Amino acid sequence: MNGRGNIFSRLLAFSAILLAASGCGNPQPLLTMIQQDYLPIETVNYWFYTAVNGGTSFSRTRSIEMDWEGRYSYTMTLSTAQTGPAGRFSGSVAPDGDGLYIWDTTPGLWRLDRKLPYILLSEWPLETATGEDSKIFKVGGIENVQTAVIDFERCYRLEEVTTVGLAASTNIVWVAPGVGDVQYGHLSQNAEVIIDHVLAVYLSAP
Amino acid sequence: MCLASVLSAGPIEPRGIEVSRAVDQEIEQQKTSRGGSLSLEPAYLIPMGKLEDDLGAPVGLAVNFDVGITSHHSWVFGISLFEFELLKHRDAVFRLVPAWMGWRVKYRIPPVVESWWEVAAAGYYESLSFESTSSAKQEYLTGGGLIGTGISYNLTRWFSMGANFRIHFISEEGELYPMLQFGLQFGVRG
């Protein structure tokens, strides 16, 4: 009886250690994350972003669905022109198994803009504009985003880093599961995060 | 002299009785021995419930070690490795490494068949990475448990083979994700 008691107590102690280890040091439960949709273009069709620290508020609307140049695409319309990741997420976009493709009218091909799934510290190259030496998009971290309406947990922070000579500028977008882009910002020259736009309204497709 | 040695040798028993006694002795030895085994188990792991649409069902490998306490009970330790394909993002790989420690109850049908069931606490190492395009990796450690049953056939005194079935319950922040494991086992017996 004492032997069995010791055995069961050891088993319970081992179980307690394993359950306590759950999530230790790692913020993202992977089986939960795998099921979530960080690019819900099919389910969300309207986003409205409020400007912070000056700037102009804008909206993004998903409309036309069609087969276009080999991909099933959607048309994203912005109410006002934007720069950085917010501005690129417009026009013809096509979510695919490995990411989001955006149609580049010149030279007329699909370009990978967001690589999926989002994995911490992964990065991929983006098309550079005239004068730019390099441009990459990388998954910089996982953060909670607080807005006036709702708090979004476990958002991936995507950083677009553009290099011109020795100088680098960084635009940031925070992406929440089931919603998409919830916040835009950039890094100041002092490496301080400046929030430019915050999601105020989003509507799901009927 | 030859006749005297024959007369003093004692009664001569038929060979069939010797074999029968050897089998009886083996059966008695198995009834009382504490056993133990080390087995390799190629296995199929099937995600259930919410994960069915997100993960493929891979074939992996498990190593299982049981230490006999009595002839019917033993400690069991095991570890396995499975690599899943993400059905929606085929460039990515999800790796799962369960490691478990638990209690096994064995039933022997001597001299060749053994069935068992077990219950164990388990830890799960998870990692998500791209197959070839990036070295980035995201990891997570969590806990859970499993229950299992199996049957094996002793090919020889030392080697056995059989089949087993386990259900893993992986816990992530209060959510349970079940996975079914079907496998063969090839083992060395103690």
Side-chain angles (χ1 to χ4, degrees):
Chain A
M1 192 65 179
N2 285 337
R4 289 182 183 175
N6 287 337
I7 289 167
F8 285 120
S9 65
R10 289 175 192 172
L11 189 59
L12 282 173
F14 182 66
S15 306
I17 291 170
L18 290 176
L19 289 172
S22 173
C24 277
N26 293 285
Q28 191 76 317
L30 294 180
L31 287 177
T32 304
M33 188 274 287
I34 282 170
Q35 304 170 64
Q36 294 173 325
D37 188 357
Y38 283 85
L39 207 62
I41 292 180
E42 289 91 346
T43 56
V44 182
N45 61 355
Y46 177 81
W47 300 259
F48 178 78
Y49 300 91
T50 300
V52 181
N53 299 318
T56 306
S57 300
F58 74 98
S59 66
R60 176 182 293 115
T61 306
R62 167 176 67 79
S63 57
I64 304 166
E65 301 174 32
M66 60 185 289
D67 286 319
W68 177 252
E69 297 290 338
R71 292 183 187 274
Y72 191 79
S73 67
Y74 302 83
T75 300
M76 292 291 196
T77 306
L78 300 181
S79 57
T80 59
Q82 299 294 320
T83 59
R88 284 202 312 277
F89 199 174
S90 62
S92 292
V93 302
D96 200 339
D98 61 341
L100 176 74
Y101 288 82
I102 294 178
W103 179 252
D104 188 345
T105 53
T106 306
L109 49 75
W110 290 106
R111 296 194 188 278
L112 177 67
D113 191 73
R114 310 229 181 148
K115 185 171 178 60
L116 292 173
Y118 295 134
I119 297 176
L120 274 177
L121 304 182
S122 66
E123 58 182 60
W124 54 97
L126 299 174
E127 186 71 10
T128 55
T130 305
E132 295 175 348
D133 294 326
S134 70
K135 181 180 285 186
I136 64 168
F137 222 165
K138 67 178 183 180
V139 182
I142 299 173
E143 298 173 359
N144 295 334
V145 173
Q146 294 179 326
T147 70
V149 178
I150 190 173
D151 294 342
F152 298 100
E153 292 187 344
R154 296 202 180 102
C155 299
Y156 278 103
R157 186 182 77 244
L158 308 183
E159 300 172 357
E160 174 207 70
V161 181
T162 305
T163 306
V164 179
L166 297 177
S169 62
T170 302
N171 291 314
I172 308 172
V173 54
W174 287 262
V175 188
V179 179
D181 296 1
V182 296
Q183 189 168 268
Y184 296 102
H186 67 278
L187 281 184
S188 69
Q189 291 183 344
N190 300 327
E192 181 185 354
V193 175
I194 308 295
I195 305 301
D196 299 321
H197 294 90
V198 178
L199 181 70
V201 177
Y202 71 97
L203 299 177
S204 297
Chain B
M1 180 175 283
C2 184
L3 180 60
S5 65
V6 168
L7 289 175
S8 64
I12 298 174
E13 296 178 324
R15 183 171 177 80
I17 295 178
E18 292 177 356
V19 171
S20 176
R21 282 186 178 172
V23 170
D24 290 342
Q25 287 172 356
E26 174 71 14
I27 291 172
E28 282 304 312
Q29 192 268 338
Q30 287 194 19
K31 281 181 180 176
T32 57
S33 75
R34 294 186 294 174
S37 66
L38 174 65
S39 60
L40 288 177
E41 303 173 0
Y44 204 41
L45 189 62
I46 303 173
M48 305 295 293
K50 300 176 185 178
L51 297 173
E52 282 180 347
D53 297 331
D54 299 294
L55 295 175
V59 174
L61 185 67
V63 177
N64 203 287
F65 181 54
D66 87 272
V67 180
I69 304 297
T70 69
S71 59
H72 294 293
H73 298 88
S74 59
W75 277 108
V76 61
F77 307 87
I79 189 167
S80 57
L81 170 64
F82 296 94
E83 284 194 0
F84 295 81
E85 177 186 50
L86 270 66
L87 298 178
K88 296 176 184 173
H89 312 293
R90 293 186 182 272
D91 188 33
V93 174
F94 177 75
R95 289 186 181 87
L96 183 69
V97 180
W100 60 90
M101 179 176 81
W103 191 245
R104 176 177 285 188
V105 179
K106 298 179 284 192
Y107 303 96
R108 289 174 176 171
I109 309 172
V112 293
V113 175
E114 180 179 282
S115 67
W116 53 265
W117 68 267
E118 68 184 17
V119 58
Y124 296 91
Y125 166 80
E126 304 170 358
S127 79
L128 182 65
S129 60
F130 290 110
E131 202 162 6
S132 56
T133 55
S134 171
S135 60
K137 181 193 287 188
Q138 210 164 314
E139 299 170 312
Y140 192 72
L141 191 63
T142 189
L146 65 85
I147 56 175
T149 184
I151 189 166
S152 63
Y153 179 85
N154 301 332
L155 297 172
T156 69
R157 172 69 179 85
W158 299 104
F159 297 102
S160 67
M161 67 176 290
N164 58 61
F165 168 76
R166 293 188 175 91
I167 304 178
H168 293 266
F169 296 96
I170 305 173
S171 169
E172 280 189 0
E173 297 189 337
E175 189 84 25
L176 273 185
Y177 296 100
M179 294 195 184
L180 302 185
Q181 179 181 324
F182 299 90
L184 301 176
Q185 62 185 65
F186 303 93
V188 176
R189 296 172 56 243

